[in-house]
Amino acid sequence: MLLKPLTMSDKTDGDGDSSILVETRPKTKRPPLYKVLLLNDDYTPMEFVVHVLERFFGMTHAQAFEIMLTVHKKGVAVVGVFSHEIAETKVGQVMDFARRHQHPLQCTMEKEE
Protein backbone atom coordinates (compact mmCIF):
# COMPACT_ATOMS: atom_id res chain seq x y z
CA MET A 1 0.00 0.00 0.00
CA LEU A 2 1.38 3.41 -0.93
CA LEU A 3 0.67 6.43 1.20
CA LYS A 4 0.81 9.92 -0.23
CA PRO A 5 1.52 13.03 1.83
CA LEU A 6 -1.41 15.24 2.80
CA THR A 7 -1.90 18.39 0.75
CA MET A 8 -4.09 21.40 1.50
CA SER A 9 -6.84 20.05 -0.74
CA ASP A 10 -6.86 16.84 1.28
CA LYS A 11 -7.41 18.79 4.49
CA THR A 12 -10.73 20.43 3.55
CA ASP A 13 -14.02 19.14 4.85
CA GLY A 14 -15.93 19.67 1.63
CA ASP A 15 -17.21 23.21 2.36
CA GLY A 16 -13.84 24.72 1.58
CA ASP A 17 -13.09 25.12 5.32
CA SER A 18 -9.72 23.72 6.15
CA SER A 19 -9.24 21.73 9.30
CA ILE A 20 -6.02 21.42 11.24
CA LEU A 21 -4.65 18.07 12.25
CA VAL A 22 -3.07 18.22 15.69
CA GLU A 23 -1.21 15.37 17.28
CA THR A 24 -0.57 15.74 20.97
CA ARG A 25 1.83 13.71 23.02
CA PRO A 26 1.86 13.65 26.78
CA LYS A 27 4.88 15.43 28.18
CA THR A 28 6.98 13.00 30.14
CA LYS A 29 9.55 14.12 32.64
CA ARG A 30 12.79 12.29 33.10
CA PRO A 31 12.98 10.60 36.47
CA PRO A 32 15.12 12.44 39.03
CA LEU A 33 18.72 11.33 39.41
CA TYR A 34 20.53 10.64 42.64
CA LYS A 35 24.18 11.13 43.57
CA VAL A 36 25.86 8.29 45.40
CA LEU A 37 28.35 9.67 47.93
CA LEU A 38 31.21 7.98 49.74
CA LEU A 39 32.14 9.45 53.12
CA ASN A 40 35.56 9.49 54.76
CA ASP A 41 36.29 7.83 58.08
CA ASP A 42 39.46 7.26 60.07
CA TYR A 43 39.37 3.46 60.00
CA THR A 44 38.55 2.07 56.55
CA PRO A 45 41.78 1.27 54.68
CA MET A 46 42.37 3.21 51.47
CA GLU A 47 42.91 -0.05 49.57
CA PHE A 48 39.45 -1.24 50.62
CA VAL A 49 37.85 1.97 49.31
CA VAL A 50 39.68 1.54 45.98
CA HIS A 51 38.41 -2.05 45.80
CA VAL A 52 34.81 -0.93 46.48
CA LEU A 53 34.99 1.69 43.73
CA GLU A 54 36.35 -0.82 41.23
CA ARG A 55 33.89 -3.55 42.17
CA PHE A 56 30.62 -1.65 42.54
CA PHE A 57 31.14 1.36 40.30
CA GLY A 58 33.18 -0.18 37.47
CA MET A 59 36.10 2.21 37.83
CA THR A 60 39.62 1.51 36.68
CA HIS A 61 42.26 1.29 39.37
CA ALA A 62 43.50 4.81 38.48
CA GLN A 63 39.99 6.31 38.61
CA ALA A 64 39.23 4.57 41.90
CA PHE A 65 42.51 5.77 43.40
CA GLU A 66 41.74 9.40 42.44
CA ILE A 67 38.23 9.25 43.93
CA MET A 68 39.58 7.60 47.08
CA LEU A 69 42.05 10.48 47.47
CA THR A 70 39.21 12.98 47.05
CA VAL A 71 37.20 11.21 49.76
CA HIS A 72 40.28 11.17 52.00
CA LYS A 73 41.14 14.87 51.49
CA LYS A 74 37.67 16.44 51.24
CA GLY A 75 35.69 14.05 53.41
CA VAL A 76 33.19 13.12 50.68
CA ALA A 77 33.02 12.45 46.94
CA VAL A 78 30.33 11.71 44.39
CA VAL A 79 31.05 8.24 43.04
CA GLY A 80 28.17 8.06 40.55
CA VAL A 81 24.79 9.45 39.50
CA PHE A 82 21.93 7.03 38.96
CA SER A 83 18.17 6.57 38.97
CA HIS A 84 16.67 6.17 42.45
CA GLU A 85 16.48 2.39 42.30
CA ILE A 86 20.03 1.91 41.07
CA ALA A 87 21.46 4.44 43.55
CA GLU A 88 19.62 2.71 46.39
CA THR A 89 20.96 -0.66 45.28
CA LYS A 90 24.54 0.63 45.03
CA VAL A 91 24.36 2.17 48.52
CA GLY A 92 23.03 -1.10 49.94
CA GLN A 93 25.70 -3.16 48.21
CA VAL A 94 28.53 -0.94 49.46
CA MET A 95 27.20 -0.77 53.01
CA ASP A 96 26.66 -4.54 53.16
CA PHE A 97 30.11 -5.26 51.73
CA ALA A 98 31.77 -2.87 54.21
CA ARG A 99 29.93 -4.42 57.17
CA ARG A 100 30.84 -7.96 56.08
CA HIS A 101 34.49 -6.85 56.04
CA GLN A 102 34.08 -5.05 59.39
CA HIS A 103 34.74 -1.54 58.06
CA PRO A 104 32.73 1.55 59.06
CA LEU A 105 32.65 2.92 55.48
CA GLN A 106 29.55 5.05 54.87
CA CYS A 107 27.79 5.41 51.53
CA THR A 108 24.73 7.62 51.05
CA MET A 109 22.61 9.08 48.28
CA GLU A 110 20.98 12.44 47.68
CA LYS A 111 18.75 13.83 44.98
CA GLU A 112 20.60 15.70 42.28
CA GLU A 113 19.43 19.28 41.83
Side-chain angles (χ1 to χ4, degrees):
M1 171 192 233
L2 293 174
L3 298 176
K4 67 176 189 152
L6 288 177
T7 62
M8 283 306 284
S9 61
D10 295 328
K11 294 182 187 178
T12 60
D13 61 8
D15 310 3
D17 295 335
S18 61
S19 57
I20 299 173
L21 300 176
V22 178
E23 183 179 327
T24 58
R25 289 186 180 168
K27 293 198 178 200
T28 55
K29 283 202 285 187
R30 290 187 181 270
L33 295 176
Y34 291 79
K35 298 184 279 191
V36 175
L37 307 164
L38 215 50
L39 307 175
N40 189 42
D41 65 73
D42 294 332
Y43 303 101
T44 304
M46 292 179 176
E47 298 81 22
F48 184 79
V49 174
V50 169
H51 180 68
V52 164
L53 293 169
E54 291 171 343
R55 179 173 178 160
F56 296 105
F57 298 94
M59 295 182 186
T60 66
H61 185 75
Q63 291 169 325
F65 190 82
E66 285 298 315
I67 295 290
M68 176 276 297
L69 285 179
T70 301
V71 171
H72 181 69
K73 291 175 183 175
K74 296 189 175 185
V76 65
V78 175
V79 296
V81 179
F82 307 96
S83 69
H84 185 271
E85 293 78 13
I86 293 173
E88 199 170 51
T89 299
K90 297 270 186 197
V91 168
Q93 289 173 328
V94 170
M95 295 295 289
D96 182 54
F97 190 71
R99 297 298 158 268
R100 282 188 282 130
H101 289 85
Q102 299 178 344
H103 295 301
L105 183 64
Q106 292 293 304
C107 186
T108 62
M109 61 187 263
E110 66 181 39
K111 195 171 184 178
E112 190 173 55
E113 307 203 9

